[in-house]
Each structure stands twice: as structure tokens, then as C-alpha cells.
Amino acid sequence: MIQIYKTKEGVSYELEKREEGCWIMMTDPTEQELRNIAQEYDIELGDIRAAMDEEERARLQIEDHYSMIIVDVPAIDVREDREYYMTIPMSVLLVKDAIITVCIEENVVLKSFLNSNVRHFHTRMKTRFVLQLLYKNAQCYLHYLRIINRKSEEVEDKLYKSTQNRDLLELMELEKSLVYFTASLRSNEVVLEKLMRAESIKKYPEDTDLLEDVIIENKQALEMVNIYNGILGNMVETFASIISNNLNVVMKFLATITIVLSIPTMIFSAYGMNVNITGMPFAQNVAGFVIVIVLSVVISVLVAVVFAKKNLF
């Protein structure tokens, strides 16, 4: 899908045709749409198609007729009615008369521009637009990191009450999201540093200040993800140990109960054997059955008391 936007007095509105100073937003475009845009703006087909690969790495590429910036943006993956976080590539191509963004799905970064949530946004100011995109991207990482932190605290409260595998798996999924964020933020950091040194991309003094703010924001997100990743990793290991310890306690209790109950079983098995009754104690006694029952109970109780003193229950 291709959508064309242009700003006027700080408000973005959609166009029917492409014109100078517009923003061409391509969301999950078809192969034909990619070819048409590539041909019209003299872009290599492989470059404009790069963001369609989920494994594409973040990079800065400068050509004669255009410049391409690929960064990883945060996205939400819904599985089994649960939200998990991942990253997807998004490319920004600066051509002579327009700016082009390509992404395999809608993302929160671009939506914030369409909803006029970004101040001083103008499609004609291409470099400023790119830096605003990168700044908003870093802010989105910080926003999702706070959500992940809140979710991990909620799961932690559940695990204190009941250590279920489902909650532990949710923690592991959140930890996986942090791993994705770490790799993506590091790749984005390299792109930002290259962008700072790139002389072919025209930057005004205020643009340089904004780029420095983007780098600072990205580093802050990277520091936060490292902290949360360490906390979450230790939490997963701790609760995995708790679950394992609880299992050992249950197994110890069951083993103790089995030993206690095996005593009357052995006695009754001996009396159930087909042997001469003259050799069996209490066999000729009228109260023999009661005596054997009481003796079995007494021995079992004594063994249970001994195990209780050794904290085996």
C-alpha cells in the first residue's frame, strides 16, 4: 500500500498524486509498487526492497541520486492473546523531490507523525524529518521498555503467590524481547554515529543539535534495556530455582509418606502368605487381628515421628 502525505502549516494531509516535497509512505507494498517507485526515482530495486526482509540489518547507504537509512523500529507481536515485543526494519530514502519510507507493517513511529503528535514536522525539510523519525523511534523504545518493566513486575507478583510454568514462560518471552531491543539499539547507534559524520547529508546547526539529542536518547534506551535485561535474567533464574526446589520438597514428602505406608504393607503381606499358622505370631490368638493392626499403626507412627524430627515432611 502506498500513501502520499504533505504538511501544510504543521498539519499533514493525504495527496492523490506525488508532488515535490511530499512523503511517500509504503506499508507492505507489492512487488509492482516497489518497481514503480524505484523506476520513477532512479532507486536500485534491491535497496527499496531491503526493508521487506525482517532480518535486514540497520545501515546507512549513500548513493549518487539518493541516500538510504535503515533502522530497526519496535513492534508488537500478538500470540495467544498476549502482546510480545520485537523489532522490524524500516528504511528511509532521501531522493531529490521527496522522502520515502518503506516498512513491512504499520508501526507506532510513523503513526505518531500521521496523528500530528510531532511538533514542527514538515515534509519539505527532509533531513529534519529523518532526525525526527529517529528521535521518535528512540522514544518508542523507551516507552516499550517501561511497559516491559511493568509487565515483569506483574508476573513477579504472580510468581510469588504461585510458581506456574506459564508465568515463567512469560518472563522468558519478555527477556527475549529485551534481547531483540538490545541488538536493534546497538545497530541503530552505529547508524546514528555514521549519520553524524556523513557530509553528503546536509545538516543545519539545529539539525546537528537534534541528531545529538537522538544519539543521547538512543544511548539512554540502550542503558535501560541492559539494566532490565540483567534484572529479568536474574529473576528468571531465581524463580526457576524456586520451582525446582518446590519440586524437590514435594518429592521428599511423597518419598517419606511412601516409606511410612510401606511398613503396614509389609506386615500385612507377611501375614497374607500361605504358610503354617503355628509359625505366625498371634495367629492362634482371638485378638490376633487387632494386635497386628495396632502393632502396624504404632510402628508407622514411630517412624513418622522420627522422620518429622529430621524435617523430612
Side-chain angles (χ1 to χ4, degrees), residues 247-266:
L247 178 61
N248 291 337
V249 171
V250 172
M251 295 302 296
K252 181 178 69 174
F253 176 78
L254 293 176
T256 304
I257 292 296
T258 302
I259 294 173
V260 172
L261 295 179
S262 66
I263 294 174
T265 302
M266 289 187 294

Side-chain angles (χ1 to χ4, degrees), residues 230-245:
I231 294 174
L232 204 57
N234 293 333
M235 193 185 304
V236 171
E237 293 179 1
T238 299
F239 283 110
S241 300
I242 292 174
I243 291 176
S244 178
N245 183 67

